[in-house]
Amino acid sequence: MMNILIAGVGGQGTLLASRVLGRYALLSGKDCKLSEIHGMSQRGGSVVTHARIGDKIHSPVIWEGGADMIIAFEALEAMRAKHYLKKGGILLVNEEEILPMPCIMGAATYPADIQSALKSEIENTYFIKAQEIATEAGSAKATNVVMLGCLCKLFGFDKALMQQAVAECVPEKFRELNLKAFELGFQRV
Amino acid sequence: MKELMLTNQAIARGAYEAGVRVLSAYPGTPSTEIAENFAKFDGIYAEWAPNEKVAVEVAVGAAVAGARAMACMKHVGLNVAADPLFTAAYTGVNGGLVIVVADDPGMHSSQNEQDSRYYARSAHVPMLEPSDASEAKEFVKLAYELSEKFDTPVLLRETTRVAHSHGFVELGEREEQEIKAYEKSPQKYVMMPANAIKRHVTVEARDKELGEYVSTLTEINREELTNENEIGIVCSGVVYQYVKEALPNANVFKIGTVYPLPMTALKAFAKKVKEVIVIEELEPYIEDAMKAAGIDCKGKELFSLQGELSVVKILEKFGGASVPTAESVPARPPVMCAGCPHRGVFYVLGKLGLTVNGDIGCYTLGAVAPLSAVDTCVCMGASIGMAHGFKKATNGESKNVAVIGDSTFLHSGVTGLINAVYNQSGITLLILDNSTTGMTGHQQHPATGKNLLGQPAPVVCLDELCKACGVKDLAIVDAYDVKAVETAVKNAIASPEVSVIIAQRPCVLLDKSAKPKVKVENCRKCGKCMKLGCPAISKTENGIVIDTNQCVGCEVCIQVCPFHCIEKA
């Protein structure tokens, strides 16, 4: 059983990332359930998507303390979601920081140095400049696929199957770009 | 062949395989994707209706005409559609009729947490509740069989965690259904008192028969006995999945028909276990019914009436979990997008100190700081009726305006406007026309010029519609033109007549063409632009900065800056 929680900000492409994991499950002959939230929170709010892969999945939702891995598309969202992580689980964080409205307005303060806080608390914490790498691959929008490349490496997923899953989940004209983003994520983490 | 599908997609697939010919729906999270996915099949008819009441009436008409039909909506949409539902329960159907309703425990994207199961009981219409995508597809097919066998509409209920989860679904073939002959039968289809009195008798008899029948559906109303004389859990929907994971060795009774409940089978189950515990989200619907039937059980003394359940919440009650708590970090509430055409309008309304009767849609976010402009939000269309009520209560003295979206105005706002004109309250109404149904993910509606399939369609012209309602004072402005919006609002509130301002600008997410960006020079830190609550603008020690990745060049901040420090780049 593999529980992967994807945390981010509405509009960052967390849904595509979970669909790729679902496709990976199909290709590897496993059961899978995904859970996501649409609607209001997609307008720049906190969003989490749950991906569960295994022999037989009941709940579509991962429980607190049950995630094998958290992929956070934004640093503050990593802080918000970290209690979902299992002891010994992997935390992968995109270094990008997006200020939430209360911080923009000065009603709250964005935590300083999230990176060291998380690294000192969680042994398997990896920070990656995913957006920068995606831009290098051709588009900042491929940040999600860079993160999937990292996940593939850290988790030891079957690389060829993951590449196939990515290729099958993105529009044809962005296929090459996304596969490049995936490869760069795989190499740089 | 199996496919990983969103449950809403699986429901669409089930409808297709069941031979459904006609589907009508109004978008609403978490139900929207059913119609969108059904529309992709060949040889069927699917449409967006202006509201859920119309959608159900269309489906009832199609079913009486002899075709299998479906209507889909979110929970609050069923309130709108309750009128045809209750009487279609009397007329029954001809071709099968299924109404899908999606509840939203936890209110991920809703204004209340109502429990639609009571509609089934109250209208005496059977209701099925699947627990994942695969089951959803099969339940749709079963629902059509029940509908035709018992001559009744059937409700299919899902909750957000079912509707918006993916699971593997085995694909089947479509079974074409011949259109059944329509036979004139006023006793059945004309519900005036003399006929309806007799049909009510039929409904009660049907209900009784169904009540016994559902206990024989042992595939979907099933016992999973593991340890007799231990605790027995009764559950349905996604809660079943949580129970199986939290308590894999527990005795479980999984309910598939939440109305009528399989009471005979539940009584038999209760006798085999030590203690019955009902685990259900929201109201004690199953628990109360079981207690009324004389089954001793526990439920809401253990679990909350509010929000969603989870594996951990169940484990906690059975002593098996210590829940790690979340770190307290700054909240990230949803916000209007950078470049949202609603922003400038709410900035003006806030600046003028007006009371704003708001409505349901992205513009509800006008209530959030720093705009903090919206005072009320109750249901779709309520802005206009409430604004009228404010005026009448204060002898026309209240300084309030109504704000509504284009799709919402057509959904149920227009009747409020007719009332305001007819009863002469002199309200000011702003229609924020962004040419789409925004919050649910950009669906077409009667004023966009396209139908559900994206094909050209006749356009309902909003200003002509307002004029036809009797509105004489009408202004059309560009929502990005802050000054024009302000002038129009000032004129409108000064007018004793009903005034309508249509603020036009397509949703920024629809128009992705590159636009000129803006730059900041010599910021004087006055903070005016910060009052817009634009996610692209943030404060630093040296003044504000604009995130060029997010900025779309709407230029509202340029107009708001009193020192001309923000300019086109």
Side-chain angles (χ1 to χ4, degrees):
Chain A
M1 174 80 80
M2 205 77 88
N3 294 317
I4 302 164
L5 189 86
I6 306 169
V9 178
Q12 276 192 310
T14 53
L15 293 186
L16 176 77
S18 69
R19 308 265 159 110
V20 171
L21 292 172
R23 176 61 69 162
Y24 177 79
L26 178 71
L27 294 172
S28 44
K30 294 283 187 188
D31 191 13
C32 172
K33 278 186 181 165
L34 311 173
S35 176
E36 55 204 36
I37 292 300
H38 303 194
M40 191 173 252
S41 51
Q42 281 180 297
R43 300 284 171 263
S46 296
V47 286
V48 286
T49 300
H50 306 246
R52 310 192 68 198
I53 301 172
D55 293 330
K56 168 75 188 162
I57 312 290
H58 281 291
S59 164
V61 182
I62 300 167
W63 70 73
E64 297 88 335
D68 298 283
M69 180 166 192
I70 295 177
I71 316 179
F73 281 49
E74 197 275 345
L76 181 63
E77 297 314 308
M79 290 291 276
R80 197 187 312 282
K82 68 179 165 58
H83 65 294
Y84 274 90
L85 200 64
K86 235 179 221 174
K87 234 186 164 71
I90 300 171
L91 177 63
L92 172 67
V93 188
N94 176 20
E95 284 188 25
E96 195 185 0
E97 293 185 352
I98 303 174
L99 293 182
M101 195 47 70
C103 295
I104 288 179
M105 286 162 49
T109 313
Y110 195 96
D113 206 3
I114 290 179
Q115 200 163 148
S116 10
L118 286 174
K119 279 182 174 163
S120 67
E121 187 185 335
I122 298 159
E123 194 185 337
N124 301 319
T125 298
Y126 299 85
F127 272 77
I128 179 126
K129 292 183 163 48
Q131 198 180 9
E132 243 179 73
I133 296 171
T135 309
E136 185 184 329
S139 167
K141 287 189 178 143
T143 302
N144 47 14
V145 177
V146 172
M147 300 290 279
L148 288 172
C150 304
L151 168 144
C152 183
K153 175 76 171 287
L154 292 171
F155 240 171
F157 273 15
D158 183 320
K159 191 178 174 189
L161 277 190
M162 272 296 275
Q163 284 168 324
Q164 189 184 341
V166 169
E168 288 176 7
C169 288
V170 299
E172 175 134 29
K173 61 175 173 175
F174 299 120
R175 192 163 293 165
E176 209 173 307
L177 187 160
N178 277 294
L179 286 173
K180 189 172 169 197
F182 180 88
E183 185 59 38
L184 288 176
F186 189 88
Q187 287 169 8
R188 304 273 174 87
V189 68
Chain B
M1 195 178 106
K2 66 177 181 179
E3 224 177 86
L4 190 67
M5 275 189 191
L6 194 67
T7 295
N8 282 343
Q9 195 184 350
I11 289 173
R13 179 80 205 181
Y16 174 73
E17 290 178 12
V20 171
R21 287 169 187 264
V22 175
L23 180 145
S24 189
Y26 182 79
T29 310
S31 71
T32 312
E33 302 82 6
I34 303 169
E36 289 177 325
N37 280 288
F38 185 72
K40 292 174 187 164
F41 294 112
D42 290 330
I44 54 90
Y45 174 77
E47 66 176 25
W48 289 130
N51 68 31
E52 297 85 353
K53 177 176 182 288
V54 175
V56 168
E57 289 156 352
V58 169
V60 171
V64 170
R68 284 193 167 181
M70 179 176 269
C72 315
M73 62 212 63
K74 67 182 295 172
H75 58 332
V76 287
L78 192 55
N79 301 335
V80 181
D83 202 354
L85 170 71
F86 275 72
T87 305
Y90 279 29
T91 64
V93 299
N94 182 21
L97 170 61
V98 174
I99 299 165
V100 183
V101 56
D103 285 6
D104 190 16
M107 291 178 279
H108 296 283
S109 199
S110 300
Q111 68 269 39
N112 76 25
E113 224 173 354
Q114 73 186 45
D115 189 330
S116 295
R117 295 177 296 176
Y118 290 95
Y119 269 114
R121 192 176 79 182
S122 185
H124 294 275
V125 166
M127 177 183 263
L128 306 183
E129 185 178 25
S131 62
D132 63 13
S134 163
E135 218 173 63
K137 196 194 76 161
E138 297 314 313
F139 276 30
V140 169
K141 293 177 166 182
L142 175 66
Y144 281 101
E145 285 170 28
L146 287 176
S147 174
E148 289 175 0
K149 185 178 166 78
F150 289 91
D151 188 14
T152 176
V154 174
L155 286 157
L156 185 88
R157 179 202 191 220
E158 54 173 356
T159 55
T160 297
R161 290 296 180 187
V162 173
H164 284 164
S165 65
H166 282 73
F168 284 113
V169 175
E170 198 70 43
L171 303 189
E173 293 296 316
R174 176 169 168 95
E175 286 180 32
E176 282 300 341
Q177 305 287 328
E178 288 302 311
I179 296 204
K180 295 186 175 179
Y182 164 73
E183 283 169 28
K184 192 177 174 92
S185 174
Q187 298 80 4
K188 187 170 186 295
Y189 296 125
V190 181
M191 286 303 95
M192 52 196 196
N195 293 337
I197 285 167
K198 290 178 195 143
R199 288 300 300 176
H200 192 185
V201 177
T202 310
V203 168
E204 297 308 324
R206 176 182 77 202
D207 227 28
K208 208 167 167 217
E209 196 188 340
L210 263 162
E212 287 307 315
Y213 181 74
V214 293
S215 280
T216 68
L217 296 174
T218 50
E219 280 277 301
I220 67 161
N221 292 318
R222 68 170 181 263
E223 280 183 2
E224 295 177 5
L225 278 181
T226 48
N227 299 295
E228 293 210 23
N229 303 318
E230 287 297 319
I231 285 174
I233 310 285
V234 173
C235 54
S236 72
V238 76
V239 177
Y240 166 77
Q241 307 290 3
Y242 300 155
V243 168
K244 290 302 279 185
E245 198 148 320
L247 311 166
N249 298 318
N251 299 306
V252 173
F253 192 101
K254 180 185 186 300
I255 293 173
T257 59
V258 292
Y259 188 80
L261 286 166
M263 213 49 91
T264 309
L266 283 167
K267 281 179 184 165
F269 176 71
K271 285 193 183 132
K272 294 175 198 164
V273 299
K274 187 172 76 181
E275 186 185 14
V276 177
I277 296 174
V278 182
I279 309 183
E280 57 190 323
E281 286 175 333
L282 304 179
E283 299 293 313
Y285 168 86
I286 299 170
E287 180 189 354
D288 285 353
M290 286 177 64
K291 282 179 175 163
I295 303 172
D296 187 28
C297 58
K298 276 188 195 160
K300 288 298 164 185
E301 58 192 277
L302 298 170
F303 295 98
S304 173
L305 292 162
Q306 292 135 38
E308 297 184 294
L309 287 174
S310 67
V311 171
V312 163
K313 282 180 185 168
I314 294 168
L315 277 172
E316 268 182 313
K317 296 296 172 192
F318 293 87
S322 71
V323 189
T325 47
E327 178 103 7
S328 170
V329 294
R332 189 186 299 276
V335 289
M336 284 181 191
C337 306
C340 176
H342 304 328
R343 178 170 286 107
V345 174
F346 284 112
Y347 174 79
V348 167
L349 298 178
K351 185 179 151 192
L352 297 177
L354 296 166
T355 298
V356 176
N357 299 113
D359 220 292
I360 305 285
C362 286
Y363 46 93
T364 315
L365 295 171
V368 180
L371 288 165
S372 309
V374 174
D375 290 83
T376 65
C377 169
V378 173
C379 68
M380 279 214 165
S383 57
I384 306 176
M386 288 184 69
H388 176 79
F390 260 70
K391 287 281 184 203
K392 289 296 178 190
T394 59
N395 261 333
E397 294 297 312
S398 62
K399 296 282 173 223
N400 65 306
V401 298
V403 173
I404 197 167
D406 44 343
S407 182
T408 315
F409 178 65
L410 293 171
H411 175 280
S412 49
V414 66
T415 42
L417 178 62
I418 291 168
N419 180 59
V421 172
Y422 173 53
N423 289 309
Q424 303 173 68
S425 58
I427 60 160
T428 291
L429 166 64
L430 288 102
I431 302 176
L432 306 187
D433 179 7
N434 64 355
S435 309
T436 191
T437 315
M439 182 69 88
T440 45
H442 304 114
Q443 287 73 31
Q444 306 296 341
H445 63 67
T448 63
K450 284 185 180 163
N451 64 17
L452 169 54
L453 302 178
Q455 299 158 336
V459 185
V460 172
C461 178
L462 296 179
D463 55 313
E464 293 295 335
L465 177 59
C466 293
K467 285 179 197 163
C469 292
V471 174
K472 298 205 170 58
D473 181 14
L474 190 137
I476 296 175
V477 294
D478 177 353
Y480 278 168
D481 188 338
V482 179
K483 188 139 199 132
V485 171
E486 186 170 338
T487 305
V489 172
K490 281 180 175 165
N491 289 341
I493 53 177
S495 160
E497 287 189 68
V498 171
S499 309
V500 175
I501 300 162
I502 303 179
Q504 295 175 328
R505 191 53 90 146
C507 171
V508 67
L509 299 178
L510 287 179
D511 186 0
K512 290 178 182 145
S513 58
K515 289 175 188 165
K517 309 261 172 160
V518 297
K519 62 174 181 185
V520 188
E521 266 169 19
N522 308 319
C523 173
R524 305 222 200 150
K525 306 182 201 174
C526 73
K528 271 253 158 113
C529 61
M530 293 304 296
K531 291 191 176 147
L532 290 169
C534 177
I537 308 177
S538 53
K539 229 177 353 190
T540 69
E541 278 177 19
N542 305 319
I544 62 129
V545 287
I546 295 178
D547 175 359
T548 50
N549 281 325
Q550 290 199 64
C551 176
V552 297
C554 74
E555 300 177 8
V556 168
C557 55
I558 294 182
Q559 301 170 66
V560 164
C561 176
F563 303 110
H564 309 290
C565 301
I566 313 177
E567 293 175 346
K568 285 188 201 184

